[in-house]
Amino acid sequence: MFFHALIPFVEIVFITVMINYLFSFFWNTRSMDLILGLIAFLLIFAISSWLHFPVLSKLMVLITNMAVIAIIVIFQPELRVALSKLSVKGKKFKATTEFDKFLDSLATSVYRLADKKTGALIVIEHEDSLQDIVKKSVVIDANFSSELLETIFAKNTVLHDGAVIVSDYKIAAAACILPLAESFLVQRSLGTRHRAGMGISSITDAFTIIVSEETGKVSLAREGLITYNVKIDRFKSILKTLFCPDIEKKSPKEMVFLDWLIECKNWLKRIFADNWFRKLISLTLALIIWFVLDQSLTMTKTIPSVAVRVINVPEGQTISGLQSNGLLNKKTTLTLTGRKSILEEINSSDFEAVVDAGSKSGEWIATISKNNLVSLNPELNVAVHINKIVEKNFVIKLVPLAKEKIPVYVTKPIGEPPKGYQFLDVWPYHLSLPVSGPEEVIKQLKSRGLKLTFNLSDISASQLEKLHDSPNHRNVISFPVPSEWKSLVIPDLSDKPQKIDDAESKYLRIDFMRVEMLPVKFAVPVSLYIPPDNVSAQTASLALGNSDVVETKKGIKVITQQLYAKGVSETFLNVVKDMMEICVILNSADKKGGFQWSVQFVNSKLLEDRYVNMMITDIFDEEIRDMQPRFREEYLRNRFRNYMNRMQLCTKDDKSLDLSFDVKGKEVLLTALAP
């Protein structure tokens, strides 16, 4: 993006340089009159483009096409000279710094010594002075040369035993005695030469080169650390990284740098100060040319997903796929040709195609041309910025318009309820949504209905906690469905959600209960049921017997263990007290076959009526109290039925109740009450 923003600037600079270069051949000549006329012509061209004068702009384009040929003919001699000067080759030079010469000479010497396995210790002075060591050594103070260095370290010379100190491209001293590195910092296998190299590099910023007399390998030491077996290419690379020519000292490089500064100053003067008026004219002309060309550049672009709007639809009719906002749900793809700078930036949201259905009937072919395009972006002027469009044809069919109420079925929510809560029910189950559209589509929607499904994962525990703490809620937490959830997308009619404004939708709620166990405070009877198909001589005489978990009270077999209920309220347990039992069912004619059991409610219709009457007389939820009596009763009855279906018996350790039966003689015994 940044580079893209710089492109106009780079183009203008380049055009300015070219124009100024050409002007240098015409300036102060009679040809300047023609140049000034050309500038005036381009200025008129730019103004006509900016003001969107279509006829004048077209005329200027035609004149420009002819003027280009005329300019080439008229200014042929000057152009030939200008082009010939472009072919002059630039000067080539190669600068070799003193440091590069020193480095090449040093590397040659070091690796010659390494090849001969001649031991050597070379210290290159950096910022920290080594004069104290130089004064105590044999002062050489000679220009550096590979021959001198190799002679010093020759085995038969007097100066070979010790280090050489190099300072400012000179060999300052030889036979230097260096401090040794501490023994605990180095390997025991290292000799005195390596220890000395590490020692001086640890107390100064000097750079040390060690050539091993035993192996002939080159090592480098700096800041007390050593690098072994360094090859010549890496050797040069390390030294170039650590050392650079010191331009602060008096040297020929200082003059090179000053010459470079002077040359830069002169270069800037030539660019901006010399012939400034000519360059200003060149810049102005470059801006005009760039603007004119930018406005005249065209491109072709294919834009998908363009919205199609149909207007003036006859009353009582509609079009298949026509949405309530007048747009077709089926979009189209258009190929546009126009101004490049505009087409590069626009997309399908910047305009739409408008089709007029007035005076049409039945099935007809609509053609989208430039005249059908309507801009939605103030920066886009269709008449000016779009030159042409590849015409697009598609079939439109007018059909009868129908209006109906579509049934909406509220289905069981998806997702998981918040931790610590369990889903109980959603109510009401049925709503309606008035819609209008093509007759066939409306018939299909009415026959199959619509489904409204909520996601329990969209409800947070904090929202339910807030409702639970309200005095209007006791056992059941009713989450009122937000208004933004009460909408449906009907793809056949619109791609936008349609709000459900059914009168009953204001009661739409999702009921939750806390996941908790309620003690069953009454003895639960247990009975044996033998289906008629399983009655035989063996099973007809079976009866429940007493055991450690079943006993007889007042002639009725009851569970002696403490039971707990989940998924219900205390009010529900109070209503079904003495009207609930555990029924054991013999599921096979063979008495040794397995048994099934379930919780049965005696006279569930009576219990339901009792529950509804109790809740109506003691309503804490204001929304339930404000419901119409019919809706309120239906809601409470649905809640009671959900309780009956969801109730789960469990033991005190929160495990589902699991009854195990055994047959002994003519008695069915409950032998275990396992979690």
Side-chain angles (χ1 to χ4, degrees), residues 95-164:
T96 304
T97 65
E98 187 176 357
F99 179 80
D100 291 331
K101 293 179 181 179
F102 164 72
L103 182 58
D104 291 338
S105 180
L106 176 63
T108 301
S109 303
V110 169
Y111 283 89
R112 280 181 187 170
L113 293 171
D115 291 339
K116 299 175 183 178
K117 290 189 177 182
T118 300
L121 180 58
I122 305 165
V123 180
I124 302 178
E125 186 186 62
H126 198 36
E127 298 293 335
D128 297 340
S129 176
L130 301 178
Q131 288 302 310
D132 292 341
I133 299 176
V134 171
K135 292 177 181 178
K136 298 177 183 179
S137 308
V138 178
V139 177
I140 304 295
D141 194 27
N143 291 332
F144 184 90
S145 68
S146 57
E147 293 81 7
L148 177 58
L149 185 65
E150 292 176 37
T151 301
I152 291 174
F153 287 111
K155 295 181 180 180
N156 297 327
T157 62
V158 179
L159 301 177
H160 83 280
D161 193 11
V164 166

Side-chain angles (χ1 to χ4, degrees), residues 391-675:
E391 294 187 352
K392 186 83 172 182
N393 297 331
F394 60 95
V395 177
I396 293 180
K397 183 179 181 180
L398 291 169
V399 296
L401 177 66
K403 297 181 180 180
E404 288 284 354
K405 284 188 176 182
I406 307 301
V408 178
Y409 304 108
V410 183
T411 62
K412 182 179 179 180
I414 61 174
E416 294 295 328
K419 187 176 181 181
Y421 293 88
Q422 66 181 31
F423 167 73
L424 182 60
D425 195 14
V426 59
W427 192 86
Y429 302 140
H430 305 289
L431 300 170
S432 62
L433 176 63
V435 297
S436 62
E439 190 175 49
E440 288 299 321
V441 175
I442 298 301
K443 286 182 179 179
Q444 293 177 5
L445 289 175
K446 189 172 183 180
S447 63
R448 70 171 184 261
L450 299 170
K451 293 182 179 180
L452 179 62
T453 304
F454 302 117
N455 191 339
L456 299 180
S457 302
D458 295 333
I459 304 173
S460 65
S462 60
Q463 291 175 299
L464 297 186
E465 287 289 345
K466 186 177 180 180
L467 293 172
H468 185 266
D469 294 338
S470 171
N472 294 332
H473 296 81
R474 285 190 173 182
N475 299 312
V476 177
I477 299 97
S478 292
F479 176 79
V481 174
S483 58
E484 58 268 22
W485 292 13
K486 302 174 185 178
S487 60
L488 281 171
V489 175
I490 308 176
D492 294 332
L493 299 179
S494 175
D495 57 358
K496 295 183 179 180
Q498 297 193 41
K499 185 178 180 181
I500 301 174
D501 54 1
D502 189 312
E504 295 186 22
S505 64
K506 65 180 181 179
Y507 304 125
L508 201 54
R509 58 184 55 217
I510 303 174
D511 290 341
F512 294 89
M513 292 191 64
R514 279 191 175 276
V515 179
E516 57 185 358
M517 298 189 305
L518 299 176
V520 178
K521 299 178 181 180
F522 53 89
V524 179
V526 56
S527 64
L528 177 64
Y529 173 71
I530 303 176
D533 292 342
N534 294 336
V535 175
S536 64
Q538 295 178 331
T539 61
S541 59
L542 291 177
L544 285 176
N546 291 338
S547 65
D548 55 345
V549 292
V550 175
E551 65 180 6
T552 302
K553 286 186 177 181
K554 297 180 181 180
I556 300 174
K557 303 291 184 182
V558 296
I559 300 292
T560 60
Q561 297 290 333
Q562 174 63 56
L563 298 179
Y564 295 84
K566 293 172 66 175
V568 296
S569 66
E570 290 185 6
T571 303
F572 175 82
L573 290 179
N574 292 332
V575 169
V576 301
K577 180 181 179 182
D578 300 332
M579 301 286 281
M580 180 186 81
E581 70 172 0
I582 294 176
C583 182
V584 179
I585 304 170
L586 178 63
N587 59 9
S588 173
D590 183 2
K591 66 180 182 180
K592 294 183 179 180
F595 290 85
Q596 292 180 339
W597 65 276
S598 65
V599 176
Q600 300 291 330
F601 297 94
V602 179
N603 200 342
S604 59
K605 180 63 172 64
L606 175 64
L607 295 176
E608 182 178 312
D609 292 340
R610 185 185 299 175
Y611 176 82
V612 171
N613 292 332
M614 182 181 295
M615 291 297 296
I616 289 177
T617 57
D618 189 21
I619 295 178
F620 291 89
D621 193 326
E622 293 181 359
E623 291 186 5
I624 298 178
R625 187 186 301 117
D626 294 339
M627 289 182 184
Q628 295 181 15
R630 180 174 61 85
F631 293 150
R632 181 169 59 234
E633 181 177 340
E634 181 184 353
Y635 172 68
L636 294 175
R637 290 187 182 279
N638 285 326
R639 180 188 290 183
F640 181 82
R641 294 164 191 165
N642 271 301
Y643 282 151
M644 289 196 300
N645 294 330
R646 291 178 177 273
M647 191 184 80
Q648 180 182 2
L649 294 178
C650 56
T651 58
K652 62 180 180 180
D653 52 1
D654 198 14
K655 301 293 184 181
S656 297
L657 179 64
D658 186 13
L659 300 178
S660 177
F661 295 90
D662 191 16
V663 178
K664 290 185 178 180
K666 295 183 179 181
E667 290 186 331
V668 178
L669 302 178
L670 177 58
T671 58
L673 188 58

